[in-house]
Each structure stands twice: as C-alpha cells, then as structure tokens.
Amino acid sequence: MKTQTRVVVIGGGIAGCSTLYHLTREGWTDVVLVERDELTSGTTWHSAAQVTNFGQTQTMVGLKSHSIALYQELRDDPDYPVDYKHGDGGIRLANTEAQMDGYRHFASMARGMGVEFEVLDAEECARRHPLISTENLLGGLWDPSDGDIDPAQLCQALARRARKAGAEVYRNTPVTGLTQHADDSWTVHTDKGDIACEIVVNACGYRVNEVGAMMGVHHPVMSMEHQYFVTEEIPAIREAGHRMPLLRCPISDYYCRQEKNGLLVGFYEQDCKTWGMDGIDPHFVNALCPDDLDRITDVLEGAFARMPALMEVGIHTVVNGPITYTIDGAPLVGPIPGKRNAFCIIGLRAGLGEGGGHGWLLAQQIVHGEAVYDTWGLDPRRFTGHANVELTALKAIEDYQNEFRFHFPNEHRPAGRMAKTTPLTPVLAAEGAEFTVVNGWERAELFKPDPGFEITHSFRFDEAEALVAAEVAAVQTAVGLCEVNGFNRIEITGADAESFLNRMICGRMPRKEGRVGLTYLLNEHGMVKAEATLARLPASDRGPARIWYGSAAASEFHDMDWLAQHVRPGEDVSLRSLTNDQTILVLAGPKARDVLSAVSRGDWSAQGFPWLSVREGFVGIAPVTVMAVSFSGELAYEIHVPNASLYNAYLSLRAAGEAHGLRLFGARAVESMRLEKGYLHWKADILTEFDPYETGLDRFVTPDKPDFIGKAALLAREGTARHRLVTLRLPGGPEAPNAAAHPGASVMHGGKVVGTVTSGGYGHRVGANLAYAFLKPGAPETGLTVDVLGAQVAAEITERGLYDPHMARVRA
C-alpha cells in the first residue's frame, strides 16, 4: 500500500468510485481509494439504480446528462460492458394542473441543457405504459432517456478504468483516524498503515459521520429505511414486446420499473423511519433492514389502484435498506465547511442515477477550484450552524414523504421550522407575517390581512400578489419597515485589512472612513465568486477602526472560507463573524428620514448623511450602525442592531412611524422592487459560470488596479465571445397571462434556445412582468420569446433598472 499520494477517497460506493475515476480524467492519477469492506457494500449494492435525466435545476440536469453519457460509454465497452438499460423512457404522473404547470416549466428548463422532455395527457401516458389506469390522472412528464443500471458492474467498471489510469484501490482497509497537519495536508490512518496525502474526500454513504467525526465535523446527512419489492412474472409484460417505461407517481408515492418480466416497485410511505441515528453496527455490511411491509400499506393501495396488475401477482423479493438524505434533499458535493483540502460527496439519495455527474463535478472542483457549472445547489456550505442531527432527521422525513412532489415557488414546508429566529419573530408573526426560510432564518415574506388568508402554491401569480403590491406602494409613497435577519457580516481588522481586501475585490475600496461601497470578488478563473458591501467604520468606543464585510445570508460559510483561505502567512488580518449577533432593520421610503430623525440624534439630512454613508449611533436606547444603502430603489437605511436591543429599536421605529403611515413589508416586496431596479441576487443572477462583464458589472471592475484574484484570467478573456445578462419585459402580470418567467426557463429565437432566465417576477411600481436572463454569445436582441409554462411568450429587451434609473429617489 502507498504511504504517500495526492488524494485519498474514502468509500467504495458509486460516490467514491466516480470521484476516483473522474480525478484520473482530470489528469490526477496519483490518487487512492480506500474501502472498509468490498466495493459497493453499502447502499450502492441494494439500489434500485434508476437513471433519469430529470432534475429541478439546470445543474442537476447537466450532471445527470453526464451520467447518462458516461454509462452509455461503459455499456458499450467491449472489454468490460456494463448492463445498462438506457432509453426505456419514464413518466412522472400528475393529477393537478399545478403539477402539470411544474412539468411544463421543467421541460423548458431542461431544453436549455439540450434535454427534451415531453408533457403528456392522461391517455398518452396510458398508451405508453399500458399497465396504468387513467383514473384521477391529468397527465405526466416523459423522459425518453430513463433507464436503469447494474450497480456493482458500474462501480467495478469505474474502478477498473481508474486503476488503468494509475489510481489504486484498497479494499478491506478501514480508516481508523484522520490527522491534519500545519500545512493543511492529511494523514489517513488505516488498519494497514498510514497514507499521507494533500487532500481527503469523504464518500462514505451512510457512514459519512463516522469519518466526519474523525476530522471534527458533522454533516447534515440522515439515513431513511426504504423498501421495494420485485414481483413474480407479469404476463402482460412478457407479451408486450417492449420494455415498460419507468413510472414515478406523486399521487400514490411509489415508483416502478421493469425487472426481467416483472416489476420492481418502491414506496415512499408516510409512516417512514429514520435509520442509524444512534450509531451503526460495524458489521452492517452488504446487509438489509428487516422487512416491514405493514408500513407501506397506505401507499400500496394507491399503487394497486394505479396498476391493477399488481393485485394479481406474487412478491418474489423484498428489499429494505438505508438511503441517505440531506436537509433539502440535494447532495453535498464540494468543500467541507471550515476545513482545508477536505471535500465530500455525500447525501446521494439517488446515487446511481446521478453519481457519474457528481463525481465529475467534484473532481473538477478538486483539480481546478471550480466546476463547469455553478455548483451552489450542491455545495456543503449552503447549510450552516443550524444543521444539526435533529433538524436533518425532521427534514429527511419530510423530503422522503414528498419524494416525487417538487417544491412550488414560495412554498416553505413545515418540518424543522423556527431553527433560527430573532426577538422579532413572534412579534412579526402576531402582525400576520408569513415566513420564508433563508439559511435557516425565519424571515417575513409578506403580511397577511387575517390568519385565514390562504395562498395557493403554483407556478402562476397567486393571491398574495395584491398584498405584495400594497406593501410596495407603502414603501414608494410613505415608509416601510422590514427585518432582514441572518445577513452575513464579517468584521475585518488588522494593519493589513485594507491591502488584503484590495487583493480580494476586483474594484475599488470605499476611500474614506464612514463610507460604504458595493464590491465583487472573483475566483482564479475570473468569474464572479461573491458580492459584498464593504463599510469602513472609524475607531470608536465600540471598537478599533474596522471594515464590515456584508453579503447574502446564505453565504455565511462560503464567504468566510473564501476570505480565510486567502489570508497570507504573516498578514495582520483578523476575521470575526457577527452574523448571528446582529440583525438589520430596513427603513425605506420617502419618509424614512423623518422616522429615523425622530428616534435618533444627529444630522440625517442628505447633506449630513448622504447615500453610501455609514455611522454609529442610537435608535431610542438601542446602539446601532446605520448605512445609507438601498435594495428597494427608495430612500432607505439599513439599521444594524445587536439582537439584544432589536426589540427596543423596533418599538422605537414603529412608534415614530405611526405619524408617517409606516407599514411592515416582507421579502416578496423586496424581490419585486429589486427586479425593477436592476439589482442582482447572489446565486440567482450572480454565478461562477459568468465573469463580471457578462453579468453587467463593468463599473465595479478596475482592471488597471494592482493585482487582484482572477485578474489575469479576466484579462485573458478579452476578445472572447461572452454571454450577457439582460432584462426582459414580458406581457401580462397578476392578470392574464398570469405567470412570471421562473428561473431556468428557456429564452428562444427561431425555435432554438438562446438563453436562460435567472430571476423573474412582477414589478409593481413600473407595472411590468420582468425577467433577468443570460443570453448566449451572438444571440439576437429582437424576436425573442420565453417558454413560460409551455407557452412561447414574446419578450423585449429593456434597460436594466427601469425604476428611477438616475437614482434620484435613493439620493433624495
């Protein structure tokens, strides 16, 4: 066994084998995989092994397309062919128009990745799958690439190819410990000796947290027992003359595919069960949980109703084994938060179908620092300190129970709520707040007129749009108050703080103390990595001269990791997170200055406190830090308050606001207003797939400043064909046609995809249905349409920032 290598991958299932293989494809061949038993002895061996192209984001569709292409290549390998039944087709059923709208949207989104889905009516579903009934059925989504693969053959084929490229695989080699050294390298301790390496990868399936504990971390991954059975032979299948399509049914919570001349039928019962929460038997290898068919009686009845043939056939085999889930159901593929040279590829609930793509994206991140796609939807850092065992279990149960029911826009499911709150959460709830969740924080989305007000979840404008319009109107004509909790805030101090940040950002620092500036950070490839507001605070009784780095709530771990790993040895820079200590109250509208002046001493006039200023002071008796910045496009102040004083500041502002018609507003109103202003949202419109020029951030780039991260790569792209972010105006609004363009929708011209929508919604101040979209290089500027829920809707490119384009209201 080697004692020194570049990468050690721990785990010999689909995650580990795919990562090892793809590392060799990226040019790293001095790599090793260690497995405690035999390859595929965990969840992989009992997987139902379905391989669909369906995904709810373009990144997921792309990684599944890669898996399918790779598996076809392995199937056709003359030396070691893998049993892969590709192209049987698959149907996802629906019995509501809202579900059908979702399928129309997903078909539009997939088209942008070169994948063609088909939306079917009920009769066509039955024609393609003659075993199903059309009772209580509206239609479905057809995936022509659906199929299934042999799990063991797949993993052995990937390991075989990796070995041929120079990688080594050590079976029956349990890892007993991990040690990280001062230079961030690792020693992997095994029962057969130690292996020194630069990088370690946790690919340990349901044993993920056994290895996580060895490096002092916990991963939000939970295992669920999952049952399927294989039937005896069904004559109708034998006589059909073709393989049956795969079936996934959100109506009755089951799936099935052909297995020989019978069916493999799997269930997502409501009375589901977590597994391994209190530890896993070390001898649980190539093993299953006890059968428990009584638990699936409810969903089995639904399956019988949809497929009567199941009632006439016996059960040949029952399988009940653990599969892994995360808090949001998507895998964790990427850097481990707070660790260097440590990665994970875990929580793969659909591991066989997606594993080829997951290993591909992870290998790119390890070797190149980024992948070909923006991988935030898979990034382990999207969950932060709230992601404990108990929350993960609750969300895993909820996700399991809703396996085939996708999330609708603005739908926030109930399990594990109130994970992160502020002193204002119950106060706002009493005011009628409907909450959304941002990185675990409960944030007011809108305010309902009465507790019985119901919102219908769909891909169309809903009943809440009138409430959002009223909140926007209050901000535009008078004054509004909004809590923004969880906003990422890092205090940066030290003699080298300014030079450090100058190296990190592609533009200019705020020049003077008491000033604020919006800045962008690039990765080494010259693409946009992060967006940050920098505020220069002078020394005071609250601390030394310091710089506040503020960014999106979701970026808490992501941005701290990025900054920390770029502090050079000997550099006098200190980073301290204030994210969980303070909350922002946003006061916005033409009367915002009147309200602030009534509760806070000092000159808050446009001359005494102009736009992009920052000052420490008080609101009532609450110590605050106030910034004159606006995400709404109105005169606005961000009031940063320690959580201990938050309620006091809120009461002071509410009391002062009564004379000026102050109204509470929520996140949906903010979203509408920022679309009108041309303001971008991190990881919606700001992606690592695009550079700042493509994203329309030219004014935030200073190419002639001394070196900054990504500068060389950015300059090297000069003269190359670039994408461009545009603002589109679509017809309609809350009235017909009553749908926005949702993220992922395809922009078309002449029947071809020329772009992809990143954000969409209704701008109530400008009275326009708006969308942001990246257009491909060379895309035309006229004759565009957007595929909105299956309809080609005319789209006109318009100026960015339709509302108050000269910023007069912000500077008032």
Side-chain angles (χ1 to χ4, degrees), residues 65-111:
S65 294
H66 176 84
S67 293
I68 289 170
L70 172 62
Y71 298 170
Q72 287 178 293
E73 181 185 335
L74 296 174
R75 177 198 62 190
D76 298 335
D77 186 337
D79 297 326
Y80 194 91
V82 172
D83 183 13
Y84 175 34
K85 298 177 179 66
H86 169 260
D88 292 342
I91 310 173
R92 293 174 184 268
L93 302 179
N95 66 339
T96 69
E97 280 296 344
Q99 288 173 310
M100 293 297 291
D101 273 347
Y103 290 158
R104 295 180 186 106
H105 169 66
F106 295 135
S108 172
M109 180 202 64
R111 189 172 299 118

Side-chain angles (χ1 to χ4, degrees), residues 123-468:
E123 288 69 28
E124 184 62 17
C125 289
R127 190 189 71 78
R128 299 191 188 189
H129 200 306
L131 295 184
I132 68 170
S133 161
T134 59
E135 184 178 355
N136 188 31
L137 183 67
L138 279 182
L141 183 70
W142 173 260
D143 172 8
S145 296
D146 224 333
D148 64 272
I149 196 165
D150 184 292
Q153 288 183 11
L154 169 60
C155 291
Q156 293 289 352
L158 292 170
R160 174 179 175 271
R161 287 192 170 196
R163 286 191 192 99
K164 288 180 69 175
E168 297 191 13
V169 176
Y170 306 136
R171 298 172 297 115
N172 299 301
T173 307
V175 172
T176 58
L178 295 168
T179 300
Q180 189 164 30
H181 306 289
D183 64 354
D184 296 322
S185 67
W186 293 86
T187 296
V188 179
H189 308 284
T190 79
D191 67 351
K192 294 183 172 61
D194 294 347
I195 309 174
C197 62
E198 298 172 26
I199 294 168
V200 65
V201 177
N202 186 341
C204 293
Y206 53 68
R207 294 190 184 273
V208 51
N209 279 310
E210 294 179 8
V211 171
M214 296 177 188
M215 62 174 69
V217 300
H218 174 267
H219 299 284
V221 175
M222 179 58 57
S223 294
M224 302 291 298
E225 287 190 18
H226 176 59
Q227 293 186 95
Y228 65 79
F229 61 62
V230 180
T231 72
E232 303 284 0
E233 183 175 286
I234 298 175
I237 292 179
R238 184 185 64 243
E239 297 162 5
H242 62 84
R243 287 183 58 80
M244 290 290 160
L246 288 82
L247 201 69
R248 296 171 182 86
C249 182
I251 307 165
S252 303
D253 298 305
Y254 81 99
Y255 63 88
C256 72
R257 66 167 175 83
Q258 184 170 335
E259 179 70 14
K260 297 183 179 178
N261 283 326
L263 290 174
L264 183 155
V265 189
F267 304 92
Y268 291 96
E269 70 280 5
Q270 299 304 292
D271 183 24
C272 54
K273 187 177 179 181
T274 60
W275 181 86
M277 283 187 69
D278 298 317
I280 301 170
D281 186 335
H283 303 294
F284 191 87
V285 175
N286 278 313
L288 294 171
C289 309
D291 300 348
D292 190 4
L293 292 181
D294 289 343
R295 207 169 69 228
I296 65 169
T297 302
D298 56 341
V299 290
L300 186 57
E301 290 176 357
F304 285 163
R306 183 63 58 203
M307 301 181 71
L310 288 175
M311 293 186 284
E312 302 170 4
V313 65
I315 296 175
H316 180 275
T317 306
V318 178
V319 172
N320 184 20
I323 57 175
T324 55
Y325 280 75
T326 65
I327 287 177
D328 64 0
L332 303 177
V333 180
I336 295 176
K339 294 292 178 181
R340 301 216 185 158
N341 293 343
F343 295 80
C344 60
I345 176 169
I346 52 180
L348 276 61
R349 70 176 183 185
L352 268 294
E354 305 170 351
H358 288 139
W360 174 56
L361 294 181
L362 181 60
Q364 291 177 47
Q365 293 178 70
I366 292 171
V367 175
H368 307 295
E370 299 284 357
V372 64
Y373 305 133
D374 187 295
T375 57
W376 180 244
L378 309 173
D379 197 304
R381 297 166 297 189
R382 69 186 188 273
F383 304 120
T384 57
H386 64 294
N388 57 38
V389 174
E390 307 304 323
L391 176 63
T392 307
L394 290 174
K395 296 305 288 186
I397 291 168
E398 182 180 65
D399 208 53
Y400 185 96
Q401 292 169 332
N402 292 278
E403 177 68 29
F404 298 130
R405 285 185 280 276
F406 50 78
H407 279 79
F408 286 101
N410 304 311
E411 178 191 6
H412 314 294
R413 292 175 178 169
R417 296 296 294 271
M418 302 296 158
K420 292 181 182 178
T421 60
T422 74
L424 291 188
T425 305
V427 177
L428 298 179
E431 294 274 10
E434 179 80 9
F435 291 97
T436 182
V437 181
V438 181
N439 190 24
W441 290 95
E442 295 288 334
R443 186 177 294 178
E445 186 171 54
L446 52 83
F447 290 84
K448 299 183 293 185
D450 60 75
F453 185 86
E454 294 290 336
I455 300 172
T456 304
H457 296 303
S458 77
F459 279 83
R460 300 182 184 273
F461 290 117
D462 57 39
E463 301 89 344
E465 210 62 44
L467 304 182
V468 175

